[in-house]
Amino acid sequence: MAEDFTVTPWEVKGDVDYSKLIKQFGTSPLDEKMLSRIKNLAGGELHPYLKRKIFFSHRDLGALLDGYETGKKFALYTGRAPSGSVHLGHLVPWMFSKWLQEKFGCDFYFMVTDEEKFLARNYTLEETKKLAYDDILDIVALGFDPGKTKIFVNTEYGKTLYTLGTMVGKHVTFSTAKSVFGFTNETNTGLVFYPNVQAGAAFLPSFLEKKDVPVLIPAAIDQDPYWRIARDVAPKLGFPKPAAIHSVFLPALSERGKMSSSDANSAIYTKDSPKEVRKKVMKYAFSGGQPTVEEHKKLGGNPEIDVPYQYLRFFEESDSRLKQIHDDYKAGKMLTGEIKEILVEKLNSFLEKHQAERERARDRIEDFILRD
Ligand code: TYM
């Protein structure tokens, strides 16, 4: 039977069934046993994204933690393809990476792919380079440790990345690339080579340190196909297989599917003003409330499909406050306008701080950039 959703690195469509996706991709669910292991190793605390199953799946996390328990440090690797502006969904794996860096003392490698959307969309390389440096402000703004964080822009870190990409590419046939990434005879060959570069950087920590450095990749699940390639070729190149931890998508404001940069009314960008945030939430956020106040008070709202509630799961840190909102909304004690108001305030206070940090980051970019 055909699935009614699609998740690939280029496209996310429909109502994603994440348990089906675990089976389809062959990943492992993040079960209670693994969560309590992480909690113990993190000093007794779990990030809300773990408690709430926003990170819900993994590859080989157990082996990575086995190593950590015997004193083997691991590095983190994640990335961003500049196009449009950074939205709140992009911050999900990055904020989680910040927590991992803090709790596990990880080096953090961040790839900014200024060639990716040049190859896949209608951007010039000058445009993507400019966007790359603007996006780096969002990364730095999140407060990563400059001593342990290395951000690299692909066209500027070419010597190292071309070496790693070439090493990976030797072991990836066109037939594999077609089946994993859906390439056709019309796909440009720049894009056909690109996955070797994204997959190859999973070996960057080992390559630079000239010893085995285990790597964990926090990202939304759309990026998983790259890790399949990286894990396949790792033994052939003598590198450790990277582990991955996958998040669900922050949904779009108005429709099904993930928040995406291509629809301005469906995404909240990190640069949006308080007024824009208010307008978007009030006007476009899909509501799980009833059509009239009377019905809502009688029947209650449905938090499972209510976008403001779903966003609060990502942005309200307090479990007890979140539960209160959930229960009040479901019981019809809290109205649609009220839950939207709570979300607007939450997002605007988050963005006020983020935007101030973004400005402060302007003079600090070079402290984070990795060059060859
Ligand atoms: P990009 O720029 O599409 O997305 C950057 C990161 O954000 C995640 N993401 C989301 N997470 C939650 N909710 C959403 N609505 C949402 N939309 C996007 C993506 O999974 C990604 O982690 N090819 C990559 C760039 C890249 C990369 C990497 C990503 C290069 N190396 C290593 C992760 C790890 C890209 O197009 O990301």
Side-chain angles (χ1 to χ4, degrees):
M1 205 183 76
E3 305 286 0
D4 50 5
F5 64 89
T6 312
V7 176
T8 72
W10 330 109
E11 183 184 43
V12 177
K13 251 188 11 205
D15 258 337
V16 182
D17 180 334
Y18 290 102
S19 12
K20 270 196 194 162
L21 208 54
I22 284 183
K23 291 207 184 86
Q24 202 177 306
F25 281 13
T27 64
S28 309
L30 258 183
D31 57 20
E32 292 310 318
K33 214 168 132 207
M34 188 67 82
L35 290 179
S36 75
R37 240 186 124 183
I38 301 173
K39 186 173 173 179
N40 285 339
L41 293 171
E45 199 195 299
L46 268 188
H47 192 279
Y49 289 174
L50 291 169
K51 285 190 266 188
R52 297 175 192 170
K53 305 265 162 129
I54 286 171
F55 277 83
F56 71 106
S57 153
H58 72 96
R59 287 187 188 271
D60 246 358
L61 192 54
L64 187 101
L65 297 181
D66 290 345
Y68 184 78
E69 276 172 346
T70 63
K72 201 161 181 121
K73 281 223 165 162
F74 61 91
L76 301 167
Y77 162 47
T78 198
R80 156 78 178 145
S83 83
S85 292
V86 169
H87 60 58
L88 295 178
H90 297 128
L91 300 185
V92 169
W94 309 346
M95 293 190 292
F96 184 59
S97 300
K98 156 107 191 318
W99 181 82
L100 289 170
Q101 179 176 67
E102 254 168 43
K103 298 290 170 192
F104 293 88
C106 307
D107 283 338
F108 179 50
Y109 289 83
F110 198 107
M111 170 182 271
V112 185
T113 64
D114 59 333
E115 81 281 48
E116 189 180 346
K117 295 293 153 88
F118 164 73
L119 292 167
R121 300 236 191 105
N122 234 346
Y123 285 102
T124 64
L125 275 175
E126 290 70 32
E127 284 165 340
T128 52
K129 172 77 65 75
K130 197 156 167 265
L131 289 170
Y133 276 90
D134 197 54
D135 290 358
I136 290 172
L137 298 176
D138 283 296
I139 304 158
V140 172
L142 293 175
F144 292 101
D145 176 348
K148 288 182 178 315
T149 302
K150 300 147 213 288
I151 303 173
F152 48 100
V153 178
N154 286 9
T155 63
E156 294 177 355
Y157 195 50
K159 191 167 131 193
T160 307
L161 293 179
Y162 189 67
T163 307
L164 282 167
T166 303
M167 287 161 72
V168 171
K170 179 162 178 162
H171 299 285
V172 182
T173 63
F174 185 42
S175 152
T176 299
K178 276 201 292 193
S179 75
V180 175
F181 296 101
F183 296 143
T184 65
N185 280 350
E186 282 63 50
T187 308
N188 72 64
T189 53
L191 205 56
V192 175
F193 185 75
Y194 169 75
N196 301 320
V197 177
Q198 179 162 336
F203 310 129
L204 183 59
S206 297
F207 185 75
L208 293 178
E209 290 188 34
K210 298 188 172 48
K211 63 173 195 207
D212 279 3
V213 181
V215 164
L216 175 64
I217 308 170
I221 189 133
D222 59 329
Q223 300 297 309
D224 185 71
Y226 295 100
W227 324 137
R228 270 175 251 160
I229 297 284
R231 289 169 55 79
D232 261 11
V233 305
K236 296 172 187 153
L237 298 175
F239 291 123
K241 284 189 180 191
I245 184 161
H246 307 108
S247 77
V248 302
F249 302 106
L250 180 73
L253 266 177
S254 51
E255 312 141 17
R256 300 190 315 164
K258 68 160 185 168
M259 182 175 279
S260 134
S261 331
S262 37
D263 181 358
N265 291 331
S266 229
I268 293 175
Y269 301 104
T270 57
K271 290 188 278 187
D272 280 351
S273 68
K275 234 171 113 187
E276 283 167 317
V277 171
R278 171 169 295 279
K279 184 175 150 218
K280 286 182 186 180
V281 170
M282 292 300 174
K283 195 161 169 195
Y284 301 111
F286 182 82
S287 170
Q290 303 295 341
T292 66
V293 172
E294 287 66 40
E295 281 174 274
H296 189 88
K297 285 188 173 160
K298 205 162 93 201
L299 303 169
N302 181 356
E304 302 321 310
I305 59 164
D306 189 81
V307 166
Y309 176 74
Q310 292 302 319
Y311 281 26
L312 287 168
R313 290 184 68 239
F314 287 78
F315 288 95
E316 172 55 63
E317 284 184 8
S318 156
D319 292 331
S320 57
R321 173 111 177 96
L322 187 68
K323 181 166 183 319
Q324 189 69 53
I325 294 170
H326 175 276
D327 293 352
D328 287 354
Y329 192 63
K330 201 167 171 177
K333 280 197 247 168
M334 180 181 283
L335 301 177
T336 296
E338 291 169 326
I339 197 170
K340 286 193 169 183
E341 190 62 44
I342 292 173
L343 179 67
V344 168
E345 275 170 31
K346 190 92 229 167
L347 293 182
N348 279 339
S349 77
F350 171 84
L351 287 177
E352 185 185 285
K353 179 168 170 281
H354 183 79
Q355 288 166 3
E357 288 301 327
R358 228 180 159 275
E359 286 314 303
R360 269 189 4 102
R362 285 188 194 279
D363 303 328
R364 300 168 54 228
I365 289 182
E366 278 309 314
D367 299 346
F368 292 85
I369 296 281
L370 184 60
R371 301 194 185 277
D372 52 17

